[in-house]
């Protein structure tokens, strides 16, 4: 039986069960009210569906009108998509949801996202892969929104959009592989980033033999795309490796030489972005120079080991670590060093004969934090110019 609902304000009953449902007017679900939609839901162009309670959707979901939650009770509003067979989410308008829960055991096509979802608080990827790679439905995490329970069995197969100035770990994968990428805080709250993972031959579109002097080997089996449609901040990007998807030659003989590489569209070249490895979390981080296509790479580690630097700076005038600079070596000659904050803002440029950085910018002390640097140097063993990237801590 199909319900044609005119004006319906749900505020009395704590539990409401509906069969197939078409909404043409206004539905308001009050806090602490549970609404179960057993079959398909269709919100028409004139329909408004406001959820400040708990909605359990067991069928397909279509929104051509308004699906939203009230900002008056902003800490409430859970929408759960639950099924035993694949569910399709469609419609011409965004579904603005506060909390979202996915639970469907149908594998790689558990949820076909043809419409658009915007998450304001938490998305629980309990079970079921959300696929938008071919359908182009948008999956958006608003400022400070986050997710839990991402796994090989539950993630987004396709693009994920992130807005705001918070750090973010993309819940992305391909097929039955969850392969996250994360980013540090951008500078402004109106910046937008898009992330997607590809488990496919890198060499088809991005030749793995086109590499800069620092690189030795490119991950030929997978890559990530991280774009910045709005904003100008440069951030630190973290990629992960996995024994099931990452080629063994990238990880063999230790991960100390695993870096982040970026495909430079202008140069048609893979360029080294640096790398700080986290073995426990199987990840590597780098402050990037631009956005686009990224993957894991193995660098000529024996040469880069020539660069030695203090791990921290303590500018307290006690005579110890009051300034920061790379340590001298007989194997290289420093050309220049650029120091950045975590947003990619240039704080200091130092020549080869500099006395070092004292932790200030425009004469003002900077806060305790991690800071990145890029050292351009000449390797005296083969007389080639190279670049080294890493980070250190400023402590007060």
């Amino acid at each position: 039986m199909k319900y044609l609902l005119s004006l319906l304000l749900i505020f009395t009953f704590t539990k409401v069960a509906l069969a197939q449902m078409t909404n043409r007017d206004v539905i308001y679900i009050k806090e602490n009210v549970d609404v179960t939609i057993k079959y398909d839901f269709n919100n028409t162009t004139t329909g408004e569906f406001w959820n400040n309670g708990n909605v359990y959707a067991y069928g397909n979901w279509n929104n051509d009108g308004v699906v939203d939650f009230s900002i008056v009770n902003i800490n409430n509003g859970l929408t759960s998509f639950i099924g035993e067979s694949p569910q399709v989410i469609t419609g011409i308008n965004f579904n603005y949801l506060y909390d979202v829960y996915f639970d469907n055991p149908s594998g790689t096509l558990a949820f076909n996202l043809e419409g658009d979802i915007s998450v304001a608080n938490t998305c629980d990827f309990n079970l079921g892969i959300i696929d938008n790679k071919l359908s182009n439905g948008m999956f958006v995490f608003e400022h400070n929104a986050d997710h839990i329970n991402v796994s090989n069995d539950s993630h987004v197969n396709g693009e994920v959009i992130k807005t705001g100035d918070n750090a973010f770990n993309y819940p992305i994968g391909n097929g039955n592989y969850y392969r996250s990428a994360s980013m540090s805080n951008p500078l402004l709250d109106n910046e937008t980033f898009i992330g997607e993972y590809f488990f496919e031959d890198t060499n088809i579109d991005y030749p793995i033999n086109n590499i800069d002097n620092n690189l030795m080997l490119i991950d030929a089996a997978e890559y990530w795309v991280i774009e910045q449609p709005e904003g100008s901040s440069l951030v630190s990007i973290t990629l992960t490796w996995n024994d099931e998807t990452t080629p063994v030659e990238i990880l063999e003989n230790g991960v100390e030489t695993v870096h982040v590489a970026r495909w430079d569209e202008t140069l048609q070249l893979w360029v080294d972005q640096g790398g700080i490895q986290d073995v426990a979390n199987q990840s590597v981080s780098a402050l990037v120079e631009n956005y686009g296509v990224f993957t894991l790479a193995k660098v000529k580690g024996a040469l880069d080991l020539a660069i030695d630097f203090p791990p921290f700076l303590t500018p307290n005038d006690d005579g110890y670590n009051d300034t920061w600079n790379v340590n001298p070596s007989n194997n290289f000659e420093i050309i220049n060093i650029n120091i950045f904050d975590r947003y990619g803002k240039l704080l200091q440029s130092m020549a080869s004969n500099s006395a070092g950085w004292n932790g200030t910018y425009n004469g003002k002390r900077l806060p305790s934090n991690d800071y990145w640097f890029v050292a351009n140097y000449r390797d005296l063993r083969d007389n080639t110019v190279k670049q080294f990237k890493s980070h250190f801590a400023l402590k007060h």
Side-chain angles (χ1 to χ4, degrees), residues 53-348:
N54 301 297
V55 172
Y56 302 92
Y58 286 84
N60 299 321
W61 180 282
N62 181 77
N63 174 39
D64 295 327
V66 174
V67 170
D68 209 336
F69 57 91
S70 171
I71 60 173
V72 175
N73 297 314
I74 200 167
N75 292 321
N76 298 281
L78 170 64
T79 304
S80 298
F81 296 97
I82 305 170
E84 295 294 331
S85 59
Q87 292 170 270
V88 183
I89 300 171
T90 58
I92 61 175
N93 286 338
F94 257 97
N95 296 279
Y96 292 101
L97 310 176
Y98 186 71
D99 287 326
V100 191
Y101 175 83
F102 291 99
D103 190 353
N104 190 309
S106 301
T108 56
L109 290 176
F111 302 97
N112 183 8
L113 184 61
E114 297 179 6
D116 303 323
I117 286 178
S118 176
V119 180
N121 190 45
T122 303
C123 180
D124 187 342
F125 290 91
N126 184 65
L127 182 62
I129 295 172
I130 298 94
D131 189 287
N132 66 349
K133 192 172 283 288
L134 297 179
S135 61
N136 296 316
M138 287 190 282
F139 200 113
V140 180
F141 284 81
E142 301 292 349
H143 187 198
N144 289 326
D146 210 343
H147 53 78
I148 58 175
N149 294 327
V150 186
S151 68
N152 285 342
D153 296 323
S154 189
H155 54 264
V156 178
N157 183 33
E159 286 187 352
V160 169
I161 301 170
K162 173 253 185 236
T163 64
D165 60 357
N166 56 298
F168 189 69
N169 182 13
Y170 285 92
I172 51 178
N174 197 321
N176 290 107
Y177 295 109
Y178 161 52
R179 300 292 284 106
S180 73
S182 58
M183 54 177 285
S184 63
N185 307 64
L187 183 60
L188 303 174
D189 62 6
N190 62 350
E191 304 202 43
T192 301
F193 293 83
I194 302 175
E196 186 173 3
Y197 171 73
F198 295 82
F199 184 39
E200 57 188 58
D201 188 351
T202 308
N203 193 54
I204 294 176
D205 295 316
Y206 314 103
I208 61 173
N209 291 325
N210 295 6
I211 56 178
D212 71 16
N213 290 333
N214 283 3
L215 299 176
M216 182 172 63
L217 189 67
I218 294 293
D219 184 340
E222 60 188 344
Y223 59 90
W224 294 257
V225 175
I226 299 178
E227 300 284 4
Q228 185 190 39
E230 295 183 42
S232 58
S233 295
L234 293 179
V235 300
S236 170
I237 286 179
T238 300
L239 304 182
T240 55
W241 63 79
N242 185 292
D243 293 340
E244 295 182 297
T245 62
T246 306
V248 63
E249 56 267 26
I250 294 291
L251 306 176
E252 64 185 357
N253 301 321
V255 298
E256 295 81 8
T257 57
V258 177
H259 277 202
V260 176
R262 176 180 59 84
W263 176 255
D264 190 301
E265 192 66 32
T266 302
L267 298 176
Q268 289 291 291
L269 191 72
W270 286 102
V271 293
D272 182 20
Q273 300 293 278
I276 306 299
Q277 302 82 20
D278 182 344
V279 177
N281 292 308
Q282 297 186 205
S283 67
V284 58
S285 303
L287 179 66
V288 301
E289 298 169 317
N290 210 326
Y291 299 100
V293 180
F294 298 89
T295 194
L296 302 170
K298 205 169 188 67
V299 297
K300 301 171 183 176
L303 294 178
D304 280 340
L305 292 177
I307 299 293
D308 183 33
F309 60 94
F312 55 85
L313 164 67
T314 56
N316 54 9
D317 298 323
D318 65 352
Y320 299 96
N321 298 306
D322 289 326
T323 60
W324 183 93
N325 206 339
V326 300
N327 297 320
S329 170
N330 293 327
N331 295 324
F332 67 84
E333 178 183 74
I334 290 295
I335 300 171
N336 57 55
I337 299 172
N338 294 318
I339 299 174
F340 303 85
D341 65 12
R342 63 179 181 172
Y343 306 111
K345 180 179 180 180
L346 179 63
L347 304 175
Q348 179 75 26

